[in-house]
Amino acid sequence: MRVKCVLCDDINQLEDGDPLAKKLRNRPIHTYMCPTCKERIGRLTDERVATGNFIFYRSSHLTEKDF
């Protein structure tokens, strides 16, 4: 299966039996990110978290603050 990275437009090849390929085929809303971009985004996110000014908003429920 040919896939295209949403950030850098790099075209990669995935095996048809790969779980990621199956997910992309069955749920078109999911997008593909190449390993290079995924690593870069993860590294930049970790740097922002380390500054202390980054807050994870997991949901909009105020009751989750009690947990």
PDB file of all heavy atoms in Angstrom, residues 32-62:
ATOM      1  N   TYR A  32      -1.477   9.308   7.771  1.00  0.00           N
ATOM      2  CA  TYR A  32      -0.170   8.676   7.905  1.00  0.00           C
ATOM      3  C   TYR A  32       0.897   9.747   8.121  1.00  0.00           C
ATOM      4  O   TYR A  32       0.890  10.794   7.469  1.00  0.00           O
ATOM      5  CB  TYR A  32       0.166   7.887   6.646  1.00  0.00           C
ATOM      6  CG  TYR A  32       1.564   7.340   6.635  1.00  0.00           C
ATOM      7  CD1 TYR A  32       1.906   6.235   7.398  1.00  0.00           C
ATOM      8  CD2 TYR A  32       2.546   7.933   5.871  1.00  0.00           C
ATOM      9  CE1 TYR A  32       3.189   5.731   7.397  1.00  0.00           C
ATOM     10  CE2 TYR A  32       3.828   7.439   5.854  1.00  0.00           C
ATOM     11  CZ  TYR A  32       4.146   6.340   6.622  1.00  0.00           C
ATOM     12  OH  TYR A  32       5.418   5.851   6.627  1.00  0.00           O
ATOM     13  N   MET A  33       1.803   9.487   9.062  1.00  0.00           N
ATOM     14  CA  MET A  33       2.954  10.343   9.292  1.00  0.00           C
ATOM     15  C   MET A  33       4.196   9.466   9.201  1.00  0.00           C
ATOM     16  O   MET A  33       4.261   8.418   9.839  1.00  0.00           O
ATOM     17  CB  MET A  33       2.874  10.999  10.679  1.00  0.00           C
ATOM     18  CG  MET A  33       3.326  12.408  10.647  1.00  0.00           C
ATOM     19  SD  MET A  33       3.377  13.315  12.206  1.00  0.00           S
ATOM     20  CE  MET A  33       2.228  12.572  13.267  1.00  0.00           C
ATOM     21  N   CYS A  34       5.174   9.880   8.397  1.00  0.00           N
ATOM     22  CA  CYS A  34       6.381   9.080   8.220  1.00  0.00           C
ATOM     23  C   CYS A  34       7.167   9.037   9.538  1.00  0.00           C
ATOM     24  O   CYS A  34       6.986   9.896  10.409  1.00  0.00           O
ATOM     25  CB  CYS A  34       7.237   9.639   7.088  1.00  0.00           C
ATOM     26  SG  CYS A  34       7.956  11.253   7.399  1.00  0.00           S
ATOM     27  N   PRO A  35       8.031   8.028   9.717  1.00  0.00           N
ATOM     28  CA  PRO A  35       8.788   7.906  10.967  1.00  0.00           C
ATOM     29  C   PRO A  35       9.647   9.132  11.278  1.00  0.00           C
ATOM     30  O   PRO A  35       9.800   9.511  12.439  1.00  0.00           O
ATOM     31  CB  PRO A  35       9.660   6.677  10.739  1.00  0.00           C
ATOM     32  CG  PRO A  35       8.956   5.889   9.698  1.00  0.00           C
ATOM     33  CD  PRO A  35       8.251   6.884   8.828  1.00  0.00           C
ATOM     34  N   THR A  36      10.180   9.788  10.262  1.00  0.00           N
ATOM     35  CA  THR A  36      11.000  10.984  10.486  1.00  0.00           C
ATOM     36  C   THR A  36      10.176  12.112  11.086  1.00  0.00           C
ATOM     37  O   THR A  36      10.585  12.740  12.074  1.00  0.00           O
ATOM     38  CB  THR A  36      11.620  11.445   9.152  1.00  0.00           C
ATOM     39  OG1 THR A  36      12.313  10.361   8.563  1.00  0.00           O
ATOM     40  CG2 THR A  36      12.564  12.609   9.379  1.00  0.00           C
ATOM     41  N   CYS A  37       9.014  12.368  10.521  1.00  0.00           N
ATOM     42  CA  CYS A  37       8.150  13.438  11.032  1.00  0.00           C
ATOM     43  C   CYS A  37       7.599  13.080  12.410  1.00  0.00           C
ATOM     44  O   CYS A  37       7.495  13.943  13.283  1.00  0.00           O
ATOM     45  CB  CYS A  37       7.006  13.703  10.064  1.00  0.00           C
ATOM     46  SG  CYS A  37       7.528  14.487   8.528  1.00  0.00           S
ATOM     47  N   LYS A  38       7.245  11.809  12.611  1.00  0.00           N
ATOM     48  CA  LYS A  38       6.717  11.383  13.902  1.00  0.00           C
ATOM     49  C   LYS A  38       7.754  11.579  15.007  1.00  0.00           C
ATOM     50  O   LYS A  38       7.442  12.058  16.091  1.00  0.00           O
ATOM     51  CB  LYS A  38       6.283   9.920  13.826  1.00  0.00           C
ATOM     52  CG  LYS A  38       5.567   9.444  15.074  1.00  0.00           C
ATOM     53  CD  LYS A  38       5.082   8.027  14.903  1.00  0.00           C
ATOM     54  CE  LYS A  38       3.726   8.095  14.250  1.00  0.00           C
ATOM     55  NZ  LYS A  38       3.011   6.817  14.293  1.00  0.00           N
ATOM     56  N   GLU A  39       9.009  11.247  14.716  1.00  0.00           N
ATOM     57  CA  GLU A  39      10.081  11.420  15.698  1.00  0.00           C
ATOM     58  C   GLU A  39      10.315  12.901  15.970  1.00  0.00           C
ATOM     59  O   GLU A  39      10.485  13.316  17.111  1.00  0.00           O
ATOM     60  CB  GLU A  39      11.361  10.752  15.173  1.00  0.00           C
ATOM     61  CG  GLU A  39      12.484  10.684  16.187  1.00  0.00           C
ATOM     62  CD  GLU A  39      13.338  11.928  16.187  1.00  0.00           C
ATOM     63  OE1 GLU A  39      13.508  12.556  15.137  1.00  0.00           O
ATOM     64  OE2 GLU A  39      13.824  12.300  17.274  1.00  0.00           O
ATOM     65  N   ARG A  40      10.279  13.731  14.915  1.00  0.00           N
ATOM     66  CA  ARG A  40      10.506  15.172  15.068  1.00  0.00           C
ATOM     67  C   ARG A  40       9.396  15.813  15.894  1.00  0.00           C
ATOM     68  O   ARG A  40       9.663  16.593  16.820  1.00  0.00           O
ATOM     69  CB  ARG A  40      10.578  15.830  13.692  1.00  0.00           C
ATOM     70  CG  ARG A  40      10.837  17.314  13.742  1.00  0.00           C
ATOM     71  CD  ARG A  40      11.038  17.874  12.354  1.00  0.00           C
ATOM     72  NE  ARG A  40       9.961  17.570  11.440  1.00  0.00           N
ATOM     73  CZ  ARG A  40       8.885  18.335  11.258  1.00  0.00           C
ATOM     74  NH1 ARG A  40       8.742  19.444  11.947  1.00  0.00           N
ATOM     75  NH2 ARG A  40       7.952  17.991  10.403  1.00  0.00           N
ATOM     76  N   ILE A  41       8.139  15.473  15.617  1.00  0.00           N
ATOM     77  CA  ILE A  41       7.014  16.024  16.370  1.00  0.00           C
ATOM     78  C   ILE A  41       7.081  15.570  17.825  1.00  0.00           C
ATOM     79  O   ILE A  41       6.842  16.355  18.746  1.00  0.00           O
ATOM     80  CB  ILE A  41       5.679  15.598  15.724  1.00  0.00           C
ATOM     81  CG1 ILE A  41       5.556  16.201  14.331  1.00  0.00           C
ATOM     82  CG2 ILE A  41       4.497  15.982  16.593  1.00  0.00           C
ATOM     83  CD1 ILE A  41       5.481  17.703  14.296  1.00  0.00           C
ATOM     84  N   GLY A  42       7.429  14.306  18.056  1.00  0.00           N
ATOM     85  CA  GLY A  42       7.551  13.803  19.421  1.00  0.00           C
ATOM     86  C   GLY A  42       8.656  14.507  20.201  1.00  0.00           C
ATOM     87  O   GLY A  42       8.481  14.860  21.364  1.00  0.00           O
ATOM     88  N   ARG A  43       9.792  14.736  19.534  1.00  0.00           N
ATOM     89  CA  ARG A  43      10.906  15.419  20.190  1.00  0.00           C
ATOM     90  C   ARG A  43      10.535  16.864  20.528  1.00  0.00           C
ATOM     91  O   ARG A  43      10.804  17.344  21.636  1.00  0.00           O
ATOM     92  CB  ARG A  43      12.131  15.383  19.277  1.00  0.00           C
ATOM     93  CG  ARG A  43      13.363  16.018  19.877  1.00  0.00           C
ATOM     94  CD  ARG A  43      14.594  15.857  18.994  1.00  0.00           C
ATOM     95  NE  ARG A  43      14.362  15.837  17.563  1.00  0.00           N
ATOM     96  CZ  ARG A  43      14.242  16.929  16.789  1.00  0.00           C
ATOM     97  NH1 ARG A  43      14.319  18.129  17.320  1.00  0.00           N
ATOM     98  NH2 ARG A  43      14.045  16.816  15.489  1.00  0.00           N
ATOM     99  N   LEU A  44       9.896  17.559  19.596  1.00  0.00           N
ATOM    100  CA  LEU A  44       9.500  18.946  19.855  1.00  0.00           C
ATOM    101  C   LEU A  44       8.449  19.039  20.957  1.00  0.00           C
ATOM    102  O   LEU A  44       8.467  19.971  21.772  1.00  0.00           O
ATOM    103  CB  LEU A  44       8.982  19.593  18.570  1.00  0.00           C
ATOM    104  CG  LEU A  44      10.018  19.808  17.470  1.00  0.00           C
ATOM    105  CD1 LEU A  44       9.349  20.328  16.201  1.00  0.00           C
ATOM    106  CD2 LEU A  44      11.108  20.749  17.919  1.00  0.00           C
ATOM    107  N   THR A  45       7.538  18.077  21.004  1.00  0.00           N
ATOM    108  CA  THR A  45       6.526  18.056  22.064  1.00  0.00           C
ATOM    109  C   THR A  45       7.184  17.828  23.416  1.00  0.00           C
ATOM    110  O   THR A  45       6.837  18.495  24.400  1.00  0.00           O
ATOM    111  CB  THR A  45       5.477  16.972  21.783  1.00  0.00           C
ATOM    112  OG1 THR A  45       4.883  17.236  20.519  1.00  0.00           O
ATOM    113  CG2 THR A  45       4.408  16.958  22.860  1.00  0.00           C
ATOM    114  N   ASP A  46       8.147  16.911  23.472  1.00  0.00           N
ATOM    115  CA  ASP A  46       8.870  16.673  24.723  1.00  0.00           C
ATOM    116  C   ASP A  46       9.612  17.920  25.182  1.00  0.00           C
ATOM    117  O   ASP A  46       9.673  18.215  26.382  1.00  0.00           O
ATOM    118  CB  ASP A  46       9.848  15.513  24.568  1.00  0.00           C
ATOM    119  CG  ASP A  46       9.131  14.181  24.427  1.00  0.00           C
ATOM    120  OD1 ASP A  46       7.958  14.093  24.834  1.00  0.00           O
ATOM    121  OD2 ASP A  46       9.765  13.234  23.909  1.00  0.00           O
ATOM    122  N   GLU A  47      10.166  18.683  24.245  1.00  0.00           N
ATOM    123  CA  GLU A  47      10.849  19.928  24.608  1.00  0.00           C
ATOM    124  C   GLU A  47       9.862  20.948  25.166  1.00  0.00           C
ATOM    125  O   GLU A  47      10.181  21.666  26.117  1.00  0.00           O
ATOM    126  CB  GLU A  47      11.572  20.500  23.391  1.00  0.00           C
ATOM    127  CG  GLU A  47      12.779  19.698  22.962  1.00  0.00           C
ATOM    128  CD  GLU A  47      13.393  20.207  21.679  1.00  0.00           C
ATOM    129  OE1 GLU A  47      12.934  21.246  21.152  1.00  0.00           O
ATOM    130  OE2 GLU A  47      14.327  19.549  21.184  1.00  0.00           O
ATOM    131  N   ARG A  48       8.660  21.035  24.587  1.00  0.00           N
ATOM    132  CA  ARG A  48       7.656  21.975  25.105  1.00  0.00           C
ATOM    133  C   ARG A  48       7.168  21.547  26.482  1.00  0.00           C
ATOM    134  O   ARG A  48       6.921  22.388  27.346  1.00  0.00           O
ATOM    135  CB  ARG A  48       6.471  22.064  24.143  1.00  0.00           C
ATOM    136  CG  ARG A  48       6.765  22.876  22.922  1.00  0.00           C
ATOM    137  CD  ARG A  48       5.516  23.335  22.198  1.00  0.00           C
ATOM    138  NE  ARG A  48       4.427  22.393  22.159  1.00  0.00           N
ATOM    139  CZ  ARG A  48       4.188  21.546  21.167  1.00  0.00           C
ATOM    140  NH1 ARG A  48       4.981  21.496  20.134  1.00  0.00           N
ATOM    141  NH2 ARG A  48       3.148  20.747  21.216  1.00  0.00           N
ATOM    142  N   VAL A  49       7.015  20.251  26.707  1.00  0.00           N
ATOM    143  CA  VAL A  49       6.584  19.753  28.017  1.00  0.00           C
ATOM    144  C   VAL A  49       7.644  20.077  29.061  1.00  0.00           C
ATOM    145  O   VAL A  49       7.331  20.443  30.202  1.00  0.00           O
ATOM    146  CB  VAL A  49       6.309  18.238  27.956  1.00  0.00           C
ATOM    147  CG1 VAL A  49       6.136  17.654  29.339  1.00  0.00           C
ATOM    148  CG2 VAL A  49       5.064  17.964  27.124  1.00  0.00           C
ATOM    149  N   ALA A  50       8.907  19.989  28.694  1.00  0.00           N
ATOM    150  CA  ALA A  50      10.000  20.250  29.630  1.00  0.00           C
ATOM    151  C   ALA A  50      10.055  21.705  30.073  1.00  0.00           C
ATOM    152  O   ALA A  50      10.589  22.000  31.143  1.00  0.00           O
ATOM    153  CB  ALA A  50      11.331  19.851  29.004  1.00  0.00           C
ATOM    154  N   THR A  51       9.486  22.634  29.306  1.00  0.00           N
ATOM    155  CA  THR A  51       9.508  24.038  29.705  1.00  0.00           C
ATOM    156  C   THR A  51       8.582  24.309  30.881  1.00  0.00           C
ATOM    157  O   THR A  51       8.769  25.286  31.588  1.00  0.00           O
ATOM    158  CB  THR A  51       9.085  24.960  28.545  1.00  0.00           C
ATOM    159  OG1 THR A  51       7.739  24.672  28.190  1.00  0.00           O
ATOM    160  CG2 THR A  51      10.003  24.807  27.362  1.00  0.00           C
ATOM    161  N   GLY A  52       7.583  23.468  31.082  1.00  0.00           N
ATOM    162  CA  GLY A  52       6.651  23.659  32.177  1.00  0.00           C
ATOM    163  C   GLY A  52       5.447  24.501  31.811  1.00  0.00           C
ATOM    164  O   GLY A  52       4.518  24.661  32.600  1.00  0.00           O
ATOM    165  N   ASN A  53       5.413  25.065  30.619  1.00  0.00           N
ATOM    166  CA  ASN A  53       4.293  25.903  30.181  1.00  0.00           C
ATOM    167  C   ASN A  53       3.308  25.135  29.308  1.00  0.00           C
ATOM    168  O   ASN A  53       2.402  25.725  28.747  1.00  0.00           O
ATOM    169  CB  ASN A  53       4.813  27.103  29.385  1.00  0.00           C
ATOM    170  CG  ASN A  53       5.619  28.023  30.254  1.00  0.00           C
ATOM    171  OD1 ASN A  53       5.354  28.149  31.444  1.00  0.00           O
ATOM    172  ND2 ASN A  53       6.616  28.650  29.685  1.00  0.00           N
ATOM    173  N   PHE A  54       3.493  23.850  29.184  1.00  0.00           N
ATOM    174  CA  PHE A  54       2.653  23.023  28.324  1.00  0.00           C
ATOM    175  C   PHE A  54       1.709  22.213  29.194  1.00  0.00           C
ATOM    176  O   PHE A  54       2.122  21.566  30.143  1.00  0.00           O
ATOM    177  CB  PHE A  54       3.540  22.085  27.495  1.00  0.00           C
ATOM    178  CG  PHE A  54       2.786  21.300  26.477  1.00  0.00           C
ATOM    179  CD1 PHE A  54       2.396  21.869  25.290  1.00  0.00           C
ATOM    180  CD2 PHE A  54       2.478  19.977  26.704  1.00  0.00           C
ATOM    181  CE1 PHE A  54       1.717  21.133  24.330  1.00  0.00           C
ATOM    182  CE2 PHE A  54       1.794  19.233  25.767  1.00  0.00           C
ATOM    183  CZ  PHE A  54       1.421  19.816  24.583  1.00  0.00           C
ATOM    184  N   ILE A  55       0.414  22.263  28.887  1.00  0.00           N
ATOM    185  CA  ILE A  55      -0.597  21.548  29.662  1.00  0.00           C
ATOM    186  C   ILE A  55      -1.316  20.581  28.731  1.00  0.00           C
ATOM    187  O   ILE A  55      -1.750  20.956  27.652  1.00  0.00           O
ATOM    188  CB  ILE A  55      -1.614  22.521  30.286  1.00  0.00           C
ATOM    189  CG1 ILE A  55      -0.893  23.506  31.208  1.00  0.00           C
ATOM    190  CG2 ILE A  55      -2.688  21.776  31.044  1.00  0.00           C
ATOM    191  CD1 ILE A  55      -1.782  24.627  31.698  1.00  0.00           C
ATOM    192  N   PHE A  56      -1.436  19.321  29.163  1.00  0.00           N
ATOM    193  CA  PHE A  56      -2.193  18.343  28.400  1.00  0.00           C
ATOM    194  C   PHE A  56      -3.669  18.524  28.703  1.00  0.00           C
ATOM    195  O   PHE A  56      -4.098  18.428  29.851  1.00  0.00           O
ATOM    196  CB  PHE A  56      -1.786  16.917  28.782  1.00  0.00           C
ATOM    197  CG  PHE A  56      -0.483  16.495  28.186  1.00  0.00           C
ATOM    198  CD1 PHE A  56       0.637  16.375  28.970  1.00  0.00           C
ATOM    199  CD2 PHE A  56      -0.390  16.218  26.839  1.00  0.00           C
ATOM    200  CE1 PHE A  56       1.843  15.989  28.420  1.00  0.00           C
ATOM    201  CE2 PHE A  56       0.802  15.828  26.282  1.00  0.00           C
ATOM    202  CZ  PHE A  56       1.926  15.714  27.074  1.00  0.00           C
ATOM    203  N   TYR A  57      -4.470  18.792  27.688  1.00  0.00           N
ATOM    204  CA  TYR A  57      -5.913  18.869  27.832  1.00  0.00           C
ATOM    205  C   TYR A  57      -6.494  17.579  27.272  1.00  0.00           C
ATOM    206  O   TYR A  57      -6.712  17.440  26.079  1.00  0.00           O
ATOM    207  CB  TYR A  57      -6.481  20.070  27.077  1.00  0.00           C
ATOM    208  CG  TYR A  57      -6.084  21.385  27.690  1.00  0.00           C
ATOM    209  CD1 TYR A  57      -5.085  22.166  27.125  1.00  0.00           C
ATOM    210  CD2 TYR A  57      -6.702  21.824  28.848  1.00  0.00           C
ATOM    211  CE1 TYR A  57      -4.723  23.365  27.699  1.00  0.00           C
ATOM    212  CE2 TYR A  57      -6.344  23.031  29.431  1.00  0.00           C
ATOM    213  CZ  TYR A  57      -5.359  23.800  28.847  1.00  0.00           C
ATOM    214  OH  TYR A  57      -5.005  24.986  29.421  1.00  0.00           O
ATOM    215  N   ARG A  58      -6.714  16.608  28.130  1.00  0.00           N
ATOM    216  CA  ARG A  58      -7.183  15.303  27.672  1.00  0.00           C
ATOM    217  C   ARG A  58      -8.681  15.318  27.386  1.00  0.00           C
ATOM    218  O   ARG A  58      -9.151  14.637  26.514  1.00  0.00           O
ATOM    219  CB  ARG A  58      -6.857  14.240  28.704  1.00  0.00           C
ATOM    220  CG  ARG A  58      -5.378  14.190  28.969  1.00  0.00           C
ATOM    221  CD  ARG A  58      -4.917  12.784  29.086  1.00  0.00           C
ATOM    222  NE  ARG A  58      -3.524  12.749  29.461  1.00  0.00           N
ATOM    223  CZ  ARG A  58      -2.544  12.504  28.618  1.00  0.00           C
ATOM    224  NH1 ARG A  58      -2.807  12.272  27.384  1.00  0.00           N
ATOM    225  NH2 ARG A  58      -1.301  12.488  29.019  1.00  0.00           N
ATOM    226  N   SER A  59      -9.446  16.072  28.131  1.00  0.00           N
ATOM    227  CA  SER A  59     -10.866  16.204  27.838  1.00  0.00           C
ATOM    228  C   SER A  59     -11.346  17.520  28.439  1.00  0.00           C
ATOM    229  O   SER A  59     -10.639  18.199  29.173  1.00  0.00           O
ATOM    230  CB  SER A  59     -11.664  15.038  28.419  1.00  0.00           C
ATOM    231  OG  SER A  59     -11.681  15.117  29.817  1.00  0.00           O
ATOM    232  N   SER A  60     -12.583  17.864  28.151  1.00  0.00           N
ATOM    233  CA  SER A  60     -13.119  19.116  28.647  1.00  0.00           C
ATOM    234  C   SER A  60     -13.914  18.949  29.931  1.00  0.00           C
ATOM    235  O   SER A  60     -14.541  19.880  30.403  1.00  0.00           O
ATOM    236  CB  SER A  60     -14.022  19.753  27.581  1.00  0.00           C
ATOM    237  OG  SER A  60     -15.093  18.887  27.300  1.00  0.00           O
ATOM    238  N   HIS A  61     -13.906  17.733  30.503  1.00  0.00           N
ATOM    239  CA  HIS A  61     -14.668  17.481  31.714  1.00  0.00           C
ATOM    240  C   HIS A  61     -13.939  18.035  32.930  1.00  0.00           C
ATOM    241  O   HIS A  61     -12.781  17.729  33.173  1.00  0.00           O
ATOM    242  CB  HIS A  61     -14.901  15.982  31.902  1.00  0.00           C
ATOM    243  CG  HIS A  61     -15.694  15.377  30.793  1.00  0.00           C
ATOM    244  ND1 HIS A  61     -17.036  15.614  30.620  1.00  0.00           N
ATOM    245  CD2 HIS A  61     -15.340  14.565  29.781  1.00  0.00           C
ATOM    246  CE1 HIS A  61     -17.453  14.970  29.565  1.00  0.00           C
ATOM    247  NE2 HIS A  61     -16.450  14.316  29.035  1.00  0.00           N
ATOM    248  N   LEU A  62     -14.631  18.844  33.696  1.00  0.00           N
ATOM    249  CA  LEU A  62     -14.034  19.401  34.903  1.00  0.00           C
ATOM    250  C   LEU A  62     -13.929  18.380  36.008  1.00  0.00           C
ATOM    251  O   LEU A  62     -13.142  18.531  36.934  1.00  0.00           O
ATOM    252  CB  LEU A  62     -14.862  20.609  35.364  1.00  0.00           C
ATOM    253  CG  LEU A  62     -14.891  21.792  34.398  1.00  0.00           C
ATOM    254  CD1 LEU A  62     -15.840  22.866  34.930  1.00  0.00           C
ATOM    255  CD2 LEU A  62     -13.503  22.353  34.197  1.00  0.00           C
TER     256      LEU A  62
END
